[in-house]
Amino acid sequence: MTSNCGEAAIPMFHVFRHELRLIFRDPRFWIPFIIPPVILAASQTIAVSRYGGQIMEGMEGYMMLLLGCLMAPMGSPLAGDSFAGERERNSLELLQLSPIAPAKLFWGKLLAILPFPVVFALLAQLGYWISHPEISTMSAVASVLGALSAVLLTTSFALIVSLRVKTVRAATHVTLFLIVPLLLMVQLGHEIFLNGLFVPLATLAVSILLSIAATFVSMRKFVSL
């Protein structure tokens, strides 16, 4: 039984490794992950230099949460290229004709995409926390949970979009529309969100359930293509 499971996982691992090679070989995928921290740091520096450091007092937790949520949709180019990119390059049909089962192709691609927005969001937030040690541990943990929730939701949504549109550009543009509701939610609800861990944990639980449902819908769509 263990041997059969190991053999079944080998094709998925090959897809995972192939996708990672493509991502590391193309520098354009890295650009979106650099933009949000730079913009946020620049805007904060301008605000402090113009209005003084008092303007940021008590806002550090909010900025950390905002940074994590801004990083979440930046993985959409990866998700868009995973399926819409294959269709655009006329290689999706070749993938479906390969000896690897469609479900293993799907999971291999997903496992190659998900770590990047998660790792970059956490690294950006960790860097911000280190540079602003006045942020309480509770606010920092709540911000991290908020970023994980945003990453799961945007990545699962990006997969659905990538399977339904024909170009990477269309998939990326549609997914990036999520930035607007994310910003509104952070702006309107950050005080409640950072006031304890119940709301962040509940949000993460809901995000996990929705992401699992969306992922299985995407997998069924891919298998049925």
Side-chain angles (χ1 to χ4, degrees), residues 63-134:
M63 297 296 286
M64 184 173 172
L65 175 62
L66 178 63
L67 176 60
C69 290
L70 280 175
M71 293 294 293
M74 296 303 109
S76 58
L78 297 177
D81 188 73
S82 61
F83 297 109
E86 299 285 1
R87 184 180 287 111
E88 194 172 2
R89 293 187 292 269
N90 296 319
S91 55
L92 186 61
E93 292 78 7
L94 294 177
L95 277 178
Q96 293 171 318
L97 293 174
S98 69
I100 302 176
K104 293 184 175 61
L105 280 171
F106 177 86
W107 287 111
K109 283 179 169 289
L110 175 61
L111 292 176
I113 295 167
L114 191 58
F116 288 94
V118 170
V119 170
F120 275 90
L122 295 182
L123 285 177
Q125 287 187 312
L126 179 61
Y128 190 87
W129 191 16
I130 292 173
S131 62
H132 296 82
E134 64 273 17

Side-chain angles (χ1 to χ4, degrees), residues 35-200:
I35 294 174
V38 172
I39 292 177
L40 200 66
S43 62
Q44 185 171 335
T45 302
I46 293 171
V48 170
S49 63
R50 180 170 297 182
Y51 302 107
Q54 296 82 4
I55 192 173
M56 293 304 300
E57 289 183 2
M59 297 292 291
E60 291 82 4
Y62 161 73
M63 297 296 286
M64 184 173 172
L65 175 62
L66 178 63
L67 176 60
C69 290
L70 280 175
M71 293 294 293
M74 296 303 109
S76 58
L78 297 177
D81 188 73
S82 61
F83 297 109
E86 299 285 1
R87 184 180 287 111
E88 194 172 2
R89 293 187 292 269
N90 296 319
S91 55
L92 186 61
E93 292 78 7
L94 294 177
L95 277 178
Q96 293 171 318
L97 293 174
S98 69
I100 302 176
K104 293 184 175 61
L105 280 171
F106 177 86
W107 287 111
K109 283 179 169 289
L110 175 61
L111 292 176
I113 295 167
L114 191 58
F116 288 94
V118 170
V119 170
F120 275 90
L122 295 182
L123 285 177
Q125 287 187 312
L126 179 61
Y128 190 87
W129 191 16
I130 292 173
S131 62
H132 296 82
E134 64 273 17
I135 300 176
S136 67
T137 301
M138 186 183 67
S139 294
V141 172
S143 298
V144 168
L145 294 176
L148 291 176
S149 300
V151 166
L152 291 175
L153 289 174
T154 54
T155 302
S156 58
F157 178 74
L159 283 175
I160 293 177
V161 172
S162 179
L163 284 164
R164 295 183 179 275
V165 300
K166 296 182 179 180
T167 65
V168 177
R169 179 178 296 179
T172 303
H173 286 178
V174 172
T175 307
L176 288 179
F177 278 121
L178 284 177
I179 292 179
V180 176
L182 276 176
L183 291 178
L184 288 175
M185 291 173 65
V186 173
Q187 180 70 31
L188 297 175
H190 70 276
E191 293 183 356
I192 298 175
F193 197 89
L194 298 175
N195 197 35
L197 294 181
F198 175 76
V199 174

